[in-house]
Amino acid sequence: MTNSIAEFEHSDAYFVIGSNTTEAHPIIALRLKRGVRFNGAKLVVADPREIPLTRYATLWLRHKPGSDAALLNGLMHVILKEGLEDNKFIKERTENLDALKKVLKKYTPAFTEKITGVPKEKLIEAARIIGAEDKVAFFYAMGITQHIVGTENVMSVANLAMLTGNVGRPSTGVNPLRGQSNVQGACDMGGLYNFYPGYQKVDVEANWEKFSKAWACETLSRKPGLSATAMVDAAVAGKLKALYVMGENPLLSDPDIGHTEKAFENLDFLVVQDIFMTETAAMADVVLPAASFVEKDGTFTNTERRVQLLRKVNEPVGESRVDWEIIADLSARMGRPMPYRDTSEIMDEIASVTPLYGGISHKRIEKEGLQWPCPDPKHPGTPYLHKGQFTRGKGHFVPVDYHPPAELPDKGYPFLLTTGRMLSHYHTGTMTRRVEGLNEICPEGFMEIHPSDARKLKITDGEEVRVASRRGEITVKSKVTRKVPPQVVYMNFHFAESAANRLTIAALDPLSGIAEAKVCAVKIEKLKPRKVRV
């Protein structure tokens, strides 16, 4: 996120796309709702499905799943046509607008309506809100990133923010909402295939020399590794022989689970390190029991880049151990000692090699977290990014054209499936499905279907149905509701018994490697009555 959570109560307007914020990020949603209710902020929500946040929206743009780039281009077309762009900001702080204008020219409200299904009047109204208000904050999540054009969708949001001058100021910004509690920290620490910690590229010689010296290791690779999705493909092809999975459950969270199962079955050796026996751990050759967050010290870096100190409350249960101690022990047994005494020493090493974290130590964040960049011990942290100028100098407009999803409905598979999360369960249910109260709220998965489609298929509310794609099929209960539009069905992916990702497609974004988990074609069938033998 470019900006801080506390700032958003003071925004003049919000644009939320691809994020069921109330259910997936409820604390941030509270800030937005307070801004609307008490400060008169305007809220534009773009989502194919009726989500709780739409009840607070000034305007709800119900676009077709997978048409995000067209919608964003249509908004920018109107803003330019009506002179609502921030010309001072554009002139002083950006470049390449003319190239973007060439692409935007065809995205008239009428043309955009044909692609997205959003009435042109609503598109114009939304563009006027975004263009006219002073401080507009933009939010997105996996609803726009889990597509074959996910990277381009993010670039489009950035284009819209720059076009209206809503970057580098408080209460504005481009704000991705991260899906897990420390996923930002994992990325910051080099949990990506092409970066060392602090987003320092592995194929830059100076970076290789720096980390080789810091870690006393001359065998670091100079080449980027494989993304998570590429690892799965490599395992299927027999090119990847071993895999070490930590705190992740790919056999429920990966798109096209059947493909992932083939990959894992083809491995020679699988290690899983987790706090519970997951579907993935059940396939492992070795399971390393890990400690939970209340059983260890360390830090969490949240979605607003705030590094916060975590203190141990309980001792690890049974034979479980703290993650870093497991890794250090394994490393030592493989001939590379990691002589850390505690997590504060690890943080000191992070600060020494990672400029973004250069001024962060356990002592400094004992009472309150710090937001990176924090380059030195006297730096107060950075509440919002890009003040005065962008990291690269001038902000670069990237022309993005609309491209349809990899798989659209047809006669054989006439419905479009989209997936998401819900408030009462989290990710693959590894933790939440072990909580009795949460299971009482939602004990099983469901498929939302529009009443008109349910009537055609003679499906009643609560009836079990078979949902199939070109990759697999599942049985799940139907929920007849107008939350979804006709010809679109929605499922959450938390439940192994009705795993939505058996259906989704593993088509990949060529730039990021992320899979298109939000759009695929499915068919729905009534289950035949079971014959009862007497």
Side-chain angles (χ1 to χ4, degrees):
M1 288 171 63
T2 60
N3 288 62
S4 302
I5 295 169
E7 296 174 15
F8 300 133
E9 283 187 46
H10 310 291
S11 302
D12 297 313
Y14 313 109
F15 178 71
V16 179
I17 183 169
S19 168
N20 183 0
T21 319
T22 307
E23 296 196 76
H25 301 91
I27 303 303
I28 292 173
L30 285 173
R31 297 283 186 176
L32 272 58
K33 288 188 281 188
R34 284 180 62 86
V36 170
R37 294 180 65 184
F38 301 117
N39 297 328
K42 295 178 180 178
L43 170 62
V44 178
V45 175
D47 202 294
R49 181 171 168 261
E50 183 181 356
I51 57 176
L53 199 61
T54 57
R55 295 199 296 267
Y56 297 83
T58 310
L59 196 62
W60 172 25
L61 307 179
R62 191 173 207 170
H63 63 304
K64 295 176 183 177
S67 66
D68 308 286
L71 178 67
L72 292 161
N73 282 349
L75 291 169
M76 288 186 279
H77 175 100
V78 175
I79 286 168
L80 286 168
K81 184 179 180 181
E82 301 201 356
L84 297 172
E85 72 274 24
D86 188 332
N87 285 305
K88 185 174 184 295
F89 182 90
I90 292 167
K91 182 179 179 181
E92 294 177 358
R93 297 198 51 186
T94 71
E95 62 186 11
N96 206 41
L97 179 61
D98 287 342
L100 177 63
K101 283 182 176 179
K102 289 179 182 178
V103 172
L104 297 180
K105 189 174 181 181
K106 67 181 178 184
Y107 286 90
T108 63
F111 180 76
T112 304
E113 181 177 347
K114 288 180 181 178
I115 298 173
T116 65
V118 174
K120 56 186 178 182
E121 296 79 13
K122 282 195 171 186
L123 184 82
I124 294 168
E125 186 182 351
R128 287 171 178 169
I129 292 171
I130 295 166
E133 296 297 331
D134 179 38
K135 293 178 291 185
V136 184
F138 298 85
F139 301 89
Y140 69 86
M142 289 179 287
I144 70 164
T145 60
Q146 289 186 338
H147 294 271
I148 57 170
V149 291
T151 306
E152 291 187 344
N153 285 342
V154 174
M155 290 174 179
S156 288
V157 176
N159 286 341
L160 180 55
M162 289 195 297
L163 189 68
T164 54
N166 281 297
V167 188
R169 295 187 291 132
S171 307
T172 64
V174 179
N175 301 289
L177 306 180
R178 308 308 298 263
Q180 286 90 0
S181 58
N182 204 19
V183 69
Q184 183 66 58
C187 295
D188 295 348
M189 292 302 103
L192 298 164
Y193 67 95
N194 53 346
F195 290 110
Y196 290 121
Y199 307 98
Q200 300 171 81
K201 291 185 176 180
V202 301
D203 55 0
V204 173
E205 186 67 19
N207 294 340
W208 181 88
E209 291 176 357
K210 172 183 177 178
F211 283 93
S212 293
K213 182 179 179 181
W215 294 338
C217 180
E218 297 296 325
T219 58
L220 294 178
S221 175
R222 287 176 166 86
K223 297 179 180 179
L226 297 175
S227 66
T229 47
M231 288 182 199
V232 173
D233 290 342
V236 169
K239 296 177 181 178
L240 184 69
K241 300 295 186 180
L243 194 62
Y244 190 159
V245 179
M246 292 176 57
E248 186 73 9
N249 189 14
L251 288 176
L252 198 52
S253 62
D254 271 15
D256 190 0
I257 292 174
H259 182 62
T260 303
E261 285 174 340
K262 289 178 185 177
F264 281 42
E265 288 167 356
N266 208 30
L267 292 168
D268 291 342
F269 188 53
L270 174 63
V271 182
V272 173
Q273 185 169 316
D274 215 318
I275 62 174
F276 292 114
M277 183 60 75
T278 64
E279 286 76 15
T280 306
M283 286 190 70
D285 298 291
V286 175
V287 177
L288 301 173
S292 72
F293 75 97
V294 294
E295 298 166 333
K296 58 189 174 185
D297 293 327
T299 60
F300 275 69
T301 304
N302 74 356
T303 193
E304 65 171 358
R305 301 169 283 105
R306 187 178 297 279
V307 186
Q308 301 168 96
L309 189 62
L310 184 73
R311 288 301 192 193
K312 182 169 68 175
V313 178
N314 299 326
E315 290 298 322
V317 175
E319 297 180 22
S320 62
R321 297 179 63 191
V322 175
D323 292 299
W324 75 264
E325 292 178 352
I326 296 173
I327 295 167
D329 198 2
L330 280 172
S331 183
R333 293 180 186 216
M334 295 171 70
R336 179 61 59 178
M338 291 185 177
Y340 306 113
R341 288 175 294 183
D342 55 37
T343 54
S344 67
E345 289 190 352
I346 298 173
M347 178 55 76
D348 291 342
E349 181 188 290
I350 291 167
S352 72
V353 295
T354 312
L356 293 175
Y357 281 67
I360 298 176
S361 64
H362 278 197
K363 186 176 180 180
R364 283 199 73 191
I365 60 175
E366 196 157 9
K367 293 184 179 179
E368 188 175 357
L370 284 168
Q371 289 169 277
W372 63 256
C374 182
D376 61 70
K378 293 184 179 179
H379 195 281
T382 308
Y384 62 94
L385 302 177
H386 311 306
K387 181 180 180 181
Q389 70 171 23
F390 292 97
T391 305
R392 69 179 299 278
K394 287 199 170 185
H396 188 81
F397 285 106
V398 179
V400 172
D401 214 343
Y402 163 73
H403 300 285
E407 184 178 75
L408 289 170
D410 55 23
K411 287 184 179 180
Y413 297 88
F415 291 91
L416 194 151
L417 169 69
T418 188
T419 65
R421 292 176 172 172
M422 60 188 302
L423 180 62
S424 54
H425 285 290
Y426 177 71
H427 212 52
T428 61
T430 301
M431 294 178 286
T432 57
R433 294 200 66 196
R434 289 173 166 83
V435 180
E436 184 178 343
L438 296 178
N439 284 326
E440 288 178 3
I441 294 171
C442 185
E444 59 189 344
F446 56 84
M447 177 203 70
E448 292 181 350
I449 184 169
H450 192 272
S452 63
D453 294 324
R455 282 194 298 271
K456 291 175 186 175
L457 295 171
K458 298 180 180 179
I459 292 171
T460 58
D461 188 58
E463 179 181 353
E464 279 199 333
V465 295
R466 181 180 292 109
V467 187
S469 72
R470 291 178 173 85
R471 291 153 295 281
E473 64 178 45
I474 61 170
T475 301
V476 65
K477 283 189 177 179
S478 60
K479 182 179 284 189
V480 180
T481 174
R482 295 184 183 276
K483 288 182 180 179
V484 291
Q487 303 302 119
V488 173
V489 293
Y490 165 86
M491 288 182 62
N492 52 53
F493 64 93
H494 311 296
F495 300 89
E497 303 91 330
S498 55
N501 280 319
R502 286 218 170 269
L503 310 173
T504 52
I505 188 169
L508 305 181
D509 179 332
L511 297 173
S512 69
I514 199 168
E516 188 156 73
K518 296 301 179 189
V519 184
C520 75
V522 297
K523 60 182 176 182
I524 302 163
E525 300 170 346
K526 283 179 68 72
L527 295 178
K528 294 179 180 179
R530 294 177 182 175
K531 294 181 179 180
V532 180
R533 293 183 180 180
V534 180

